[in-house]
Amino acid sequence: MASVIQYYEGIGSVVLIGNYSPRQCGIATFTTDLVEALSAEAPGINCWAVAMNDKPEGYAYPEKVRFEINQKKLTDYSVASEFLNISQIDIVCVQHEYGIFGGPAGSHLLKLLGELRMPVVTTLHTVLKDPTPEYREVMQRLSHLSDKLVVMSQKASDFLKDIYAVPEDKIAFIHHGIPDTPFMDPNFYKDQFDLEGKNVLLTFGLLSPTKGIENVLYALPSVIKKHPDLTYIILGATHPNILKAHGDEYRISLQQLVHKLNISDHVIFQNRFVELKELCEFLGTADIYITPYLEEAQITSGTLAYAMGTGKAVISTPYWYATEMLAQGRGRIVPFKDHDAMAEQIIDLLDNDVTRHTIRKKAYTFCRDAIWKEVSRRYLEIFSEVKLNRSRNPRPRYLYIDQVKSITKFELPEMKLDHLKTLTDNTGILQHATYTIPNRFQGYCTDDNARALMVAAMGRKYLLRDSMYFNSLSSHYLSFLLYAFNVEKGRFRNFMNYSREWIDEVGSEDSHGRSLWGLGKAVDFLDNPGQLALSTTLFSQALKATEDFISPRAIAFTLVGIHAYLYKFSGDSEVRRMREILADRLFNQFKNNTTKNWPWLENTLSYANGKLPHALLLSGQWMQHSDMIDMGLRSLKWLLSIQTEDGHFVPIGSNGWYVKGAFRARFDQQPIEANAMIEACVEAFNVTREKTWIDNAVMCFNWFLGHNDLNMPLYDPMTGGCRDGLMADGINQNEGAESTLAWLLSLMTLQKLYADEILKQPSSQPSGAMA
């Protein structure tokens, strides 16, 4: 015991961050087991967990979980870091998998780690061989912010060094932990499962199409001819994420295949998530364990480690972890999707008891270093090492919080969707509300359904907690746009009464442009194949009409949509051609009317003004026309200068607008103006990287929250909606679709910026404070 105490002396508390049981996933099981193992091995250490939640209500966690983070709520990460710092934790150990953290490529985690004062040890459950730029960036920043990276395979270590340039001395290898079970005869447990006298094959784990179980099923008829006493157990519930997105489609397809192959008497489906004791009993019955995964890109596998640790003869496809673990005769490898080779190996192992038992012993012996007792000791050694190293070599803290808070100066309000839900019925989103009650007399418009599609598509990508709801809304609003499109005229209708009767056959150019804007964003953000196909098709059909458009706002809306579309399909030559035509037209309108004191394309400032320089900035940036960028920045600066007073945003009033040479209208001030300016300022920041643009975007955003002429908030935190305008005598208390969607889009824009900037913060710029 003395040696154990020696390597964790000075460590009083360790906190693990990751998913946690009873959440059903591999990371949750691993985190729970590691917490319990550390607590058992070092009872003097206060070891507990911070749990990541994929739903707002969380789970019924045990006492070991003392803090919870909503994975998509950025503010929770900041609060968690503050809580851990206040708690004076000695070591934080992160269980890292990109998908369990919010932000692009899970980048929200970087904010939390950048604010911590204590050493961080990060266990990597995924290391990508061919990462996209944002995934590469997250991994490299994660390396900077971690004192040690733990991997569970040599392949992962090689990837970190060769692909991510991680120094070798920052990487530590520790086996995937497994329970300590005796080496037993498989027949010991078979009677309790009514499997006496059977040869048992087993696959377990959360079910998903990547498991490749169909290839084992195709192999069984050949095996059964030779070994008619065979039973194949498929153990595990369908993965919760697969269940949400596709239901039990994969399991049903497997069951249908079993029926088709006439092997129903030889296959048992156990559709449930089993606890460790029962899992070990199922493993105990197996003569052969099979992992028939379809792709090589799996850097670790808890199910394989468990099977080897219980002394199973394993047959596997050659994914990375299996190739490494089953080397030197510890198992058999068969090619991907080769059910004939699978059948051949199963038959060979069942025919040759001596060979099978030799493989079992090699696997069991190899995995003795992977039992949780040994794994926890190795983690404790690393914890002690990094703590000692930090005390001798204090490093500057990476104060992401100071850098990122400069973007917003405050914590953004949480997204609330109640009023969006209230305004949406089974046709689409209703235009207007009387106070907070939907006004059915005014019906619907395509304008608002296009805006609503943007909210749904953006929410679907960035707000995972409501992803299925946003998925449903996206289909809803897309359906409205599909119905609104007049195929004969190639144009969108705009106004529909509550009886679902169109009031116009052709809407305005502006409404058509907004529809293309919404569809372009849908193409960019949606990953549902049906939604993406419809968005792409409808966008292409509707774009043709814009070649003759004159309205500058219609052109601007279309250009913003085009750039979103090209972000997904950059090689579409026809869309690129239309971008050039429309961008040149908008630019020429500016050049032909701009004067020194009036850098604008019209003699009147009216509505959605910010969208015009926004379109120029996007076009100039991607078409490499610096003169367009200059014009966009100049006109946007001018808009800000005439719409800023005493440090707050004063949008052009809709009661008269602002005619050149005349007095500008002060009221009524509309939410759409703040939204257009926010999005334009954010794009100006993206182009110039000048922080003043963020300050301006925040100033415009604060207009919603009460930093305006009347010091009255338009955002309604009770409903999540937005009031319709600021009037001379007070607030317009109606909360219609345009206003509410302008608020939601503004909030999403800053939330996305906040997340993106965490990812972009240079990790080589630490603050002067010492950790």
Side-chain angles (χ1 to χ4, degrees), residues 6-169:
Q6 183 179 2
Y7 64 63
Y8 72 77
E9 188 174 359
I11 299 176
S13 54
V14 173
V15 170
L16 275 72
I17 300 175
N19 296 350
Y20 208 90
S21 296
R23 184 170 172 180
Q24 295 182 2
C25 71
I27 302 293
T29 301
F30 185 96
T31 308
T32 305
D33 288 346
L34 182 53
V35 167
E36 295 299 329
L38 290 169
S39 298
E41 183 64 18
I45 292 179
N46 183 15
C47 185
W48 48 276
V50 172
M52 303 303 303
N53 287 333
D54 60 348
K55 55 183 183 179
E57 66 272 22
Y59 297 84
Y61 293 116
E63 291 182 358
K64 283 291 187 181
V65 173
R66 299 188 190 172
F67 199 90
E68 300 173 40
I69 296 175
N70 182 330
Q71 68 183 51
K72 285 297 176 180
K73 188 177 177 184
L74 186 57
T75 54
D76 277 14
Y77 292 79
S78 182
V79 175
S81 63
E82 184 178 9
F83 183 80
L84 293 171
N85 287 333
I86 290 171
S87 301
Q88 297 185 326
I89 302 303
D90 290 309
I91 299 288
V92 165
C93 182
V94 177
Q95 302 308 307
H96 183 263
E97 175 73 62
Y98 291 103
I100 73 172
F101 302 104
S107 58
H108 283 4
L109 174 67
L110 303 179
K111 183 173 190 290
L112 188 160
L113 299 184
E115 297 169 18
L116 293 178
R117 299 191 181 104
M118 69 291 295
V120 174
V121 174
T122 299
T123 305
L124 300 175
H125 292 260
T126 293
V127 181
L128 300 174
K129 181 182 179 182
D130 300 301
T132 60
E134 63 182 9
Y135 282 84
R136 181 191 298 272
E137 187 70 18
V138 166
M139 181 58 71
Q140 289 175 331
R141 292 180 187 280
L142 189 60
S143 173
H144 281 295
L145 292 168
S146 300
D147 295 74
K148 191 73 82 173
L149 297 177
V150 174
V151 295
M152 291 174 272
S153 68
Q154 185 57 49
K155 178 72 76 172
S157 177
D158 293 341
F159 284 174
L160 289 177
K161 290 181 288 186
D162 299 340
I163 299 169
Y164 301 93
V166 177
E168 187 169 5
D169 62 1

Side-chain angles (χ1 to χ4, degrees), residues 471-528:
N471 188 59
S472 175
L473 282 183
S474 297
S475 291
H476 225 59
Y477 302 135
L478 270 172
S479 176
F480 189 98
L481 291 182
L482 177 63
Y483 189 52
F485 189 62
N486 186 328
V487 178
E488 292 181 1
K489 299 184 181 296
R491 293 284 297 274
F492 286 98
R493 306 173 180 91
N494 194 20
F495 295 108
M496 174 194 282
N497 64 27
Y498 190 65
S499 299
R500 296 184 179 178
E501 298 167 335
W502 289 109
I503 297 173
D504 52 8
E505 281 301 303
V506 174
S508 66
E509 288 189 2
D510 284 10
S511 68
H512 193 94
R514 278 200 188 91
S515 299
L516 284 164
W517 176 13
L519 288 167
K521 292 290 187 181
V523 170
D524 184 13
F525 291 133
L526 294 177
D527 53 12
N528 177 300

Side-chain angles (χ1 to χ4, degrees), residues 604-618:
T604 301
L605 274 175
S606 54
Y607 65 95
N609 297 307
K611 198 51 60 183
L612 304 176
H614 185 186
L616 284 180
L617 290 171
L618 282 169

Side-chain angles (χ1 to χ4, degrees), residues 337-384:
K337 302 178 183 179
D338 189 338
H339 52 82
D340 290 332
M342 179 71 72
E344 181 181 332
Q345 290 297 331
I346 295 172
I347 292 170
D348 183 60
L349 289 184
L350 291 178
D351 283 348
N352 296 284
D353 291 349
V354 173
T355 302
R356 189 172 72 252
H357 291 309
T358 299
I359 291 173
R360 291 181 60 216
K361 290 175 185 176
K362 286 184 177 181
Y364 184 81
T365 303
F366 178 77
C367 288
R368 297 313 291 162
D369 287 340
I371 62 172
W372 278 116
K373 183 179 183 65
E374 298 300 327
V375 166
S376 63
R377 285 185 174 187
R378 184 74 181 101
Y379 270 98
L380 288 166
E381 290 172 356
I382 289 174
F383 295 162
S384 181

Side-chain angles (χ1 to χ4, degrees), residues 330-576:
R330 294 187 293 266
R332 295 284 181 86
I333 297 290
V334 299
F336 293 111
K337 302 178 183 179
D338 189 338
H339 52 82
D340 290 332
M342 179 71 72
E344 181 181 332
Q345 290 297 331
I346 295 172
I347 292 170
D348 183 60
L349 289 184
L350 291 178
D351 283 348
N352 296 284
D353 291 349
V354 173
T355 302
R356 189 172 72 252
H357 291 309
T358 299
I359 291 173
R360 291 181 60 216
K361 290 175 185 176
K362 286 184 177 181
Y364 184 81
T365 303
F366 178 77
C367 288
R368 297 313 291 162
D369 287 340
I371 62 172
W372 278 116
K373 183 179 183 65
E374 298 300 327
V375 166
S376 63
R377 285 185 174 187
R378 184 74 181 101
Y379 270 98
L380 288 166
E381 290 172 356
I382 289 174
F383 295 162
S384 181
E385 174 191 331
V386 298
K387 189 172 190 300
L388 179 62
N389 186 59
R390 180 71 74 92
S391 68
R392 292 174 176 173
N393 303 286
R395 73 176 190 187
R397 287 178 61 206
Y398 294 88
L399 283 182
Y400 280 69
I401 188 168
D402 290 343
Q403 298 168 339
V404 174
K405 272 193 172 177
S406 70
I407 296 170
T408 59
K409 301 288 183 63
F410 59 90
E411 295 291 358
L412 293 168
E414 187 175 358
M415 186 75 61
K416 189 171 184 179
L417 303 171
D418 294 19
H419 198 53
L420 178 67
K421 296 176 183 178
T422 298
L423 289 172
T424 301
D425 63 13
N426 60 6
T427 299
I429 192 167
L430 288 149
Q431 277 194 85
H432 295 294
T434 302
Y435 300 104
T436 60
I437 310 303
N439 184 340
R440 304 183 192 279
F441 291 105
Q442 302 298 322
Y444 315 85
C445 72
T446 302
D447 272 331
D448 289 335
N449 279 275
R451 293 186 185 100
L453 176 59
M454 287 185 245
V455 169
M458 200 169 179
R460 175 71 181 88
K461 183 164 185 176
Y462 292 104
L463 298 174
L464 188 61
R465 70 178 190 271
D466 297 300
S467 60
M468 296 312 297
Y469 176 68
F470 281 124
N471 188 59
S472 175
L473 282 183
S474 297
S475 291
H476 225 59
Y477 302 135
L478 270 172
S479 176
F480 189 98
L481 291 182
L482 177 63
Y483 189 52
F485 189 62
N486 186 328
V487 178
E488 292 181 1
K489 299 184 181 296
R491 293 284 297 274
F492 286 98
R493 306 173 180 91
N494 194 20
F495 295 108
M496 174 194 282
N497 64 27
Y498 190 65
S499 299
R500 296 184 179 178
E501 298 167 335
W502 289 109
I503 297 173
D504 52 8
E505 281 301 303
V506 174
S508 66
E509 288 189 2
D510 284 10
S511 68
H512 193 94
R514 278 200 188 91
S515 299
L516 284 164
W517 176 13
L519 288 167
K521 292 290 187 181
V523 170
D524 184 13
F525 291 133
L526 294 177
D527 53 12
N528 177 300
Q531 294 171 350
L532 178 59
L534 177 58
S535 301
T536 304
T537 301
L538 198 52
F539 183 91
S540 299
Q541 290 176 335
L543 185 62
K544 299 172 185 176
T546 64
E547 188 164 1
D548 299 320
F549 278 11
I550 300 300
S551 164
R553 283 161 187 79
I555 293 171
F557 299 151
T558 302
L559 282 169
V560 177
I562 282 175
H563 284 95
Y565 174 94
L566 289 175
Y567 193 80
K568 175 68 72 70
F569 298 118
S570 59
D572 192 320
S573 300
E574 178 61 18
V575 176
R576 291 162 66 95

